[in-house]
Amino acid sequence: MAAWGELLAGVRGVLLDISGVLYDGGEGGGEPIAGSVEAVARLKRSPLKVRFCTNESQKSRGDLVGLLRRLGFDISEGEVTAPAPATCLILKERGLRPHLLVHDGVRSEFDQIDTSNPNCVVIADAGESFSYHNMNKAFQVLMELENPVLLSLGKGRYYKETSGLLLDVGPYMKALEYACGIEAEVVGKPSPEFFKSALQEMGVEAHQAVMIGDDIVGDVGGAQRCGMRALQVRTGKYRPSDEHHPEVKADGYVDNLAEAVDLLLQHTDK
Amino acid sequence: MAARRALKAVLVDLNGTLHIEDAAVPGAQEALKRLRATSVVVKFVTNTTKESKQDLMERLKKLEFDISEDEIFTSLTAARNLVEQKQVRPMLLVDDRALPDFKGIQTSDPNAVVIGLAPEHFHYQILNQAFRLLLDGAPLIAIHKARYYKRKDGLALGPGPFVTALEFATDTKATVVGKPAQTFFLEALRGTGCEPEEAVMIGDDCRDDVGGAQNVGMRGILVKTGKYRAADEEKINPAPYLTCESFPHAVDHILQHLL
């Protein structure tokens, strides 16, 4: 196996993906992944800086943090970088009024945004709301616009809930791209701006940070392109074929967050 | 130009070429009769995701076209053929009206996905089921990949976006069986005993009818009816073998120059 001491030398900050690393969502909110509650606590007691970097777009940041705290995690809203708040900043900056194709659970994040007479579409993990009817409405809004703008909160292919793998926003974003002949702007991982803002909020340079996630492309590939190191956990949506991905190779593979934290505490500077 | 072999088969598109919705193209019935009086084999080929052969037959009968069911080859037929060839049990994401064309196909415990245009099936739960089958290695068979189509209330998503969604989710490519897929034209000719070089395709869609047919070595005739828009014939290279006003003109050309 890799020489972990060398691999993790100089790490000062850790970015943690949430779904599939801390917990698996599902009925009744979901359940923590074995060892992850303690792993986060140990990390926070260490000198390493910690920040959570999620593409969760079905729940508001407040609801997500509330759920994680109920599951036993030590986490607060201010420690989480999430795509919905980042999207609101972009909408305000560019004077965009979105048609929202989102889950009801995240709608409150857009309370302060003008959604009348839309001049763009915002798509997020809408879950059950991804009906033909709702997709068609978003499509029709885009086709009416002279310069169609599609903002997508992440572009993940799928994620894992306790009931099994579920389609994420990415496939639906691709559907609208194909239908309208346009390209979406992704807010969230793997977009470099998103990782950079998380790093900035953590106060750590890319070369001193490591990303830990279950998504070989969105987490690992995205972080590496920003100059970070990245570990993939064998939990959540992880599939064995990820370790032979044609384009992305993680700096290391670990069984779960607990193992990653063991290694970090063992091998980074005290 | 190389000498072409004698013409043995004519493939004719339906909607937009022989008829437009519920109205026949003027003179089309009579032109078809003239074509049938020759020795060529005539086949009718169409991309449909929701009309079974029976539905198509009923409409053609009403419009007084003399056509029998075994002369029709649709994208649904092509999908069925592929399912039989691969010996798979498909999950059928097609409109209920298309189901008669899959009669007798085993669909329990599915290990393949056939996707057409089925708005009532395109909800999250069903697409997740399809997604999980594909992740387990089931092949994805797409009737066709149209981006959208025109409905009375405006534009509406076609099957293409949903095929693309499943392709992206599973990092696979669908096998598209409808026009302009090469296999579509070759399958349509199967059983006629003639080579693509001995066949001509007549249609109103420059890319899907004419371009697709010419890609397998057939001659393509573009008619200026149906979805034809000015300068469509410039959209493909090489250009259509012939562009003419309508189906009867295409038949005139065949009778005068290709037989």
Side-chain angles (χ1 to χ4, degrees):
Chain A
M1 192 56 219
W4 289 104
E6 209 172 303
L7 258 172
L8 299 173
V11 167
R12 288 187 46 234
V14 185
L15 282 184
L16 296 180
D17 176 32
I18 292 179
S19 174
V21 176
L22 267 50
Y23 84 118
D24 282 323
E27 205 121 319
E31 48 194 50
I33 288 166
S36 286
V37 170
E38 298 76 23
V40 170
R42 281 192 293 148
L43 209 47
K44 286 189 142 186
R45 283 199 300 271
S46 81
L48 291 169
K49 292 197 175 177
V50 184
R51 189 163 180 89
F52 303 90
C53 184
T54 180
N55 267 8
E56 171 65 57
S57 68
Q58 205 179 84
K59 301 177 189 67
S60 71
R61 186 158 54 164
D63 288 349
L64 174 64
V65 165
L67 165 66
L68 291 169
R69 292 179 70 91
R70 276 200 302 286
L71 295 178
F73 288 98
D74 172 12
I75 183 171
S76 64
E77 257 189 80
E79 297 172 312
V80 179
T81 301
T87 302
C88 287
L89 289 178
I90 293 173
L91 292 170
K92 283 181 190 156
E93 256 172 40
R94 288 164 53 181
L96 291 170
R97 299 179 305 276
H99 168 86
L100 296 172
L101 177 46
V102 303
H103 196 274
D104 283 341
V106 79
R107 221 166 265 278
S108 63
E109 296 270 21
F110 299 91
D111 276 351
Q112 305 302 314
I113 300 288
D114 179 7
T115 56
S116 63
N117 188 22
N119 58 5
C120 78
V121 167
V122 166
I123 184 171
D125 172 19
E128 299 285 339
S129 297
F130 276 135
S131 62
Y132 180 84
H133 179 76
N134 287 342
M135 283 290 286
N136 212 34
K137 266 205 286 196
F139 162 71
Q140 286 174 338
V141 169
L142 288 169
M143 292 298 272
E144 299 262 307
L145 296 173
E146 204 173 316
N147 295 308
V149 173
L150 175 61
L151 294 178
S152 184
L153 278 63
K155 61 175 231 188
R157 290 162 198 262
Y158 52 84
Y159 55 89
K160 193 188 168 199
E161 290 222 329
T162 46
S163 62
L165 296 178
L166 292 173
L167 290 167
D168 198 351
V169 62
Y172 289 92
M173 173 199 91
K174 285 282 171 191
L176 289 178
E177 284 186 340
Y178 178 80
C180 306
I182 59 173
E183 207 170 306
E185 300 173 37
V186 178
V187 185
K189 297 175 287 186
S191 134
E193 291 79 23
F194 194 70
F195 282 111
K196 277 178 206 154
S197 68
L199 287 170
Q200 214 163 44
E201 286 156 337
M202 184 163 65
V204 171
E205 302 277 330
H207 71 274
Q208 298 173 318
V210 60
M211 171 81 209
I212 301 174
D214 66 333
D215 188 320
I216 186 70
V217 176
D219 293 326
V220 175
Q224 287 176 335
R225 268 208 313 280
C226 285
M228 299 168 61
R229 281 162 275 185
L231 306 181
Q232 189 182 17
V233 288
R234 297 189 181 102
T235 55
K237 77 177 82 170
Y238 165 86
R239 309 178 93 221
S241 59
D242 291 347
E243 295 188 35
H244 314 284
H245 194 278
E247 281 135 44
V248 185
K249 184 158 178 49
D251 293 282
Y253 301 88
V254 290
D255 284 342
N256 48 39
L257 180 61
E259 190 191 356
V261 171
D262 283 343
L263 292 165
L264 279 164
L265 298 185
Q266 230 176 311
H267 294 287
T268 51
D269 305 330
K270 299 283 156 353
Chain B
M1 200 178 181
R4 309 237 21 166
R5 282 187 258 178
L7 189 73
K8 287 190 184 164
V10 178
L11 304 185
V12 186
D13 173 50
L14 291 176
N15 196 12
T17 303
L18 272 195
H19 61 88
I20 291 147
E21 303 299 334
D22 289 319
V25 165
Q29 297 99 326
E30 192 269 333
L32 181 57
K33 280 195 190 122
R34 281 188 287 139
L35 189 59
R36 283 195 185 284
T38 72
S39 61
V40 298
V41 176
V42 184
K43 285 241 173 186
F44 304 90
V45 295
T46 180
N47 268 2
T48 170
T49 60
K50 57 175 190 243
E51 289 169 306
S52 67
K53 275 191 187 181
Q54 222 171 345
D55 293 338
L56 295 172
M57 280 300 297
E58 271 165 34
R59 176 194 267 159
L60 291 165
K61 251 185 217 153
K62 250 189 240 161
L63 298 178
E64 297 177 341
F65 283 104
D66 167 27
I67 287 173
S68 70
E69 196 171 318
D70 59 5
E71 293 175 312
I72 300 180
F73 185 83
T74 79
S75 44
L76 291 170
T77 328
R80 186 196 171 107
N81 288 356
L82 188 59
V83 162
E84 288 178 331
Q85 212 180 310
K86 286 183 181 277
Q87 298 186 309
V88 286
R89 301 176 301 276
M91 171 184 190
L92 292 172
L93 287 180
V94 299
D95 192 286
D96 289 346
R97 280 170 291 175
L99 289 177
D101 281 1
F102 293 94
K103 212 174 147 198
I105 296 282
Q106 204 193 327
T107 55
S108 58
D109 185 23
N111 60 0
V113 176
V114 170
I115 181 167
L117 180 62
E120 69 276 23
H121 295 313
F122 285 167
H123 55 80
Y124 191 61
Q125 299 248 352
I126 295 268
L127 285 179
N128 261 317
Q129 277 177 33
F131 157 68
R132 289 176 185 180
L133 287 174
L134 298 175
L135 267 192
D136 286 340
L140 178 61
I141 298 169
I143 308 289
H144 62 74
K145 266 186 96 170
R147 290 161 199 268
Y148 52 84
Y149 67 105
K150 211 171 161 180
R151 262 189 342 203
K152 285 186 186 102
D153 62 340
L155 297 180
L157 291 167
F162 295 91
V163 175
T164 306
L166 290 172
E167 288 180 331
F168 177 74
T170 56
D171 216 356
T172 51
K173 278 275 161 237
T175 304
V176 182
V177 296
K179 294 182 279 185
Q182 300 208 351
T183 50
F184 179 88
F185 296 97
L186 298 176
E187 281 282 302
L189 282 184
R190 203 160 61 125
T192 64
C194 78
E195 299 295 320
E197 291 74 20
E198 301 164 324
V200 62
M201 165 81 210
I202 306 171
D204 65 324
D205 189 313
C206 188
R207 282 206 182 96
D208 289 359
D209 292 330
V210 177
Q214 294 194 154
N215 278 342
V216 295
M218 300 172 60
R219 277 169 279 200
I221 299 181
L222 180 65
V223 290
K224 296 182 175 179
T225 52
K227 70 169 68 163
Y228 174 85
R229 293 288 169 272
D232 271 359
E233 58 269 37
E234 290 160 22
K235 282 184 180 167
I236 58 168
N237 186 15
Y241 159 75
L242 177 73
T243 302
C244 63
E245 285 311 309
S246 68
F247 177 70
H249 291 89
V251 171
D252 288 344
H253 177 90
I254 290 170
L255 297 181
Q256 285 167 24
H257 300 284
L258 297 180
L259 293 176

